Amino acid sequence: MTTDTTGTAARDDAPRPGGPADSPFVRACRRQPVPHTPVWFMRQAGRSLPEYREIRANVAMLESCRRPELVTEITLQPVRRHNVDAAILFSDIVVPVAAAGVDLDIVPGTGPVVAEPVRTAADVERIRPIGRDDVSYVDEAVRMLVQELGDTPLIGFAGAPFTLASYLVEGGPSRTHAKTKALMYGEPELWHALAGRLAEVTLAFLRVQIEAGVSAVQLFDSWAGALSEADYRRFVLPHSIAVLSGLADVGMPRIHFGVGTAELLGAMGEAGADVVGVDWRTPLDAATRRIGPDKAVQGNLDPCVLFAPWPVIEAEVRRILDQGRAAPGHVFNLGHGVLPETDPEVLTRVVALVHELSARG
């Protein structure tokens, strides 16, 4: 069973009433026929857009995530400009962690910085459960966006337990994740307690977005590629499963994405998502063989290709569309987020090109 835009139950094989539930994006996620390959970009709402930089001037990142009107405007900007097939909620993966009582800030040029890193059982206990009231600004922003977007689906998102745990243990971004791995290997019970607590926070955060009206959710495990498959399966997979399987009842597409995860794609495909995002390092046809034939894929243009001459970009778009046909469903995206220096006009041209090349008669 799935849920349509009116909130009533509908069979997967029944005609859909239109709206976001029948959009090319949602249909591709469900491995259903589409009029064209849908396209959106990770970090499409943000740093590459001059209108974003203008509206964010003098507003701190965490504060901007807590202003529903600002969130709504920023989320809508790339939809207006690029004609993408889906919007993604403007927020940050540490928003629910801050709501859970962790003292942190998002420092320009650095990223999330945690005042007191989490390294003991007492630290874990201080991470409290969250509910709608703790992130009411997210609930309000999603409801506003659903009204504004009409038939365009809105993607909700959250950070996966491993990536959130790494920020908390390290105290901020890390190239090596040395402290995180030391905790995993040296104190596995404490690690699982931390990851389990973060899975609960993440699940609650996603449910707030779902109840407010998003059409799909994406779980970002940005740093999972730092792990071997064996370590991923032991220390990470159970907690990602807890989040994604915890949403199995909502009948909504679930996307799972990480960077540098070529060797992990098979395991990530077991976590419970309907769509697996693939970074630019792995061709989509090869990724499909690793993930399995029952998942759609998302990706995977290298963000740096967008700085090349247009003929190069066009050739790469054609290649990715061709390789994406090996999957039962394909959502065109980048292999990571839009880089700040990207020319927005190039993104607009890529969307039009994807639509043109993939149009089904």
Side-chain angles (χ1 to χ4, degrees):
M1 301 285 283
T2 61
T3 302
D4 66 23
T5 52
T6 66
T8 57
R11 291 182 57 84
D12 284 341
D13 56 355
R16 294 188 180 278
D22 198 40
S23 63
F25 167 74
V26 172
R27 292 185 66 85
C29 291
R30 296 191 184 282
R31 309 184 304 281
Q32 296 173 337
V34 290
H36 61 261
T37 299
V39 53
W40 69 280
F41 304 112
M42 289 180 282
R43 291 185 182 159
Q44 65 185 18
R47 303 170 296 174
S48 68
L49 299 181
E51 57 265 41
Y52 167 81
R53 292 193 292 269
E54 180 180 353
I55 200 172
R56 271 286 321 280
N58 303 316
V59 184
M61 181 62 184
L62 268 180
E63 175 62 22
S64 68
C65 295
R66 293 167 175 159
R67 297 186 184 180
E69 294 84 1
L70 187 58
V71 169
T72 299
E73 171 58 24
I74 292 173
T75 303
L76 291 172
Q77 285 175 349
V79 180
R80 297 191 198 108
R81 181 186 271 265
H82 302 314
N83 194 33
V84 286
D85 291 284
I88 184 164
L89 178 70
F90 174 75
S91 187
D92 191 276
I93 64 171
V94 299
V95 165
V97 179
V102 176
D103 184 3
L104 59 82
D105 193 14
I106 302 174
V107 178
T110 300
V113 175
V114 180
E116 297 181 11
V118 175
R119 296 174 187 162
T120 69
D123 295 335
V124 173
E125 285 302 312
R126 285 196 290 271
I127 303 172
R128 62 176 181 261
I130 67 169
R132 179 191 170 281
D133 290 345
D134 298 296
V135 287
S136 58
Y137 43 86
V138 172
D139 175 87
E140 184 178 349
V142 170
R143 293 179 189 277
M144 292 171 65
L145 279 162
V146 169
Q147 291 298 315
E148 292 285 341
L149 285 165
D151 290 347
T152 301
L154 175 64
I155 305 167
F157 78 92
F162 172 77
T163 291
L164 293 177
S166 181
Y167 279 120
L168 297 189
V169 173
E170 302 286 341
S174 171
R175 292 181 181 273
T176 63
H177 309 280
K179 294 181 177 66
T180 305
K181 292 183 178 183
L183 181 65
M184 281 170 33
Y185 299 141
E187 299 184 70
E189 290 186 5
L190 178 57
W191 167 262
H192 285 295
L194 171 59
R197 180 65 58 90
L198 292 172
E200 293 170 359
V201 170
T202 298
L203 180 58
F205 187 57
L206 288 173
R207 281 201 170 271
V208 168
Q209 297 173 62
I210 289 166
E211 290 167 7
V214 299
S215 296
V217 292
Q218 176 157 313
L219 187 67
F220 284 89
D221 211 351
S222 306
W223 307 134
L227 301 173
S228 69
E229 182 182 356
D231 287 346
Y232 178 86
R233 287 185 177 278
R234 179 183 177 190
F235 295 112
V236 177
L237 184 58
H239 305 291
S240 295
I241 288 174
V243 176
L244 291 167
S245 66
L247 301 174
D249 63 311
V250 301
M252 179 178 293
R254 298 156 293 173
I255 309 168
H256 196 20
F257 173 75
V259 183
T261 55
E263 296 302 318
L264 306 180
L265 288 173
M268 291 181 71
E270 299 170 18
D274 307 287
V275 185
V276 176
V278 183
D279 76 8
W280 68 92
R281 298 171 178 88
T282 309
L284 291 181
D285 49 357
T288 294
R289 290 192 293 271
R290 297 179 188 185
I291 296 164
D294 61 338
K295 310 286 183 184
V297 297
Q298 179 175 278
N300 65 344
L301 183 69
D302 186 335
C304 293
V305 168
L306 297 172
F307 299 99
W310 179 253
V312 176
I313 298 172
E314 181 175 351
E316 285 295 287
V317 169
R318 288 178 180 274
R319 177 184 63 81
I320 289 165
L321 286 171
D322 183 58
Q323 292 171 345
R325 293 188 183 98
H330 177 209
V331 176
F332 192 98
N333 207 309
L334 302 181
H336 200 193
V338 174
L339 295 171
E341 303 84 4
T342 306
D343 181 353
E345 294 303 317
V346 173
L347 292 171
T348 302
R349 291 184 70 183
V350 168
V351 174
L353 180 64
V354 171
H355 288 170
E356 176 189 351
L357 294 176
S358 65
R360 277 72 159 174

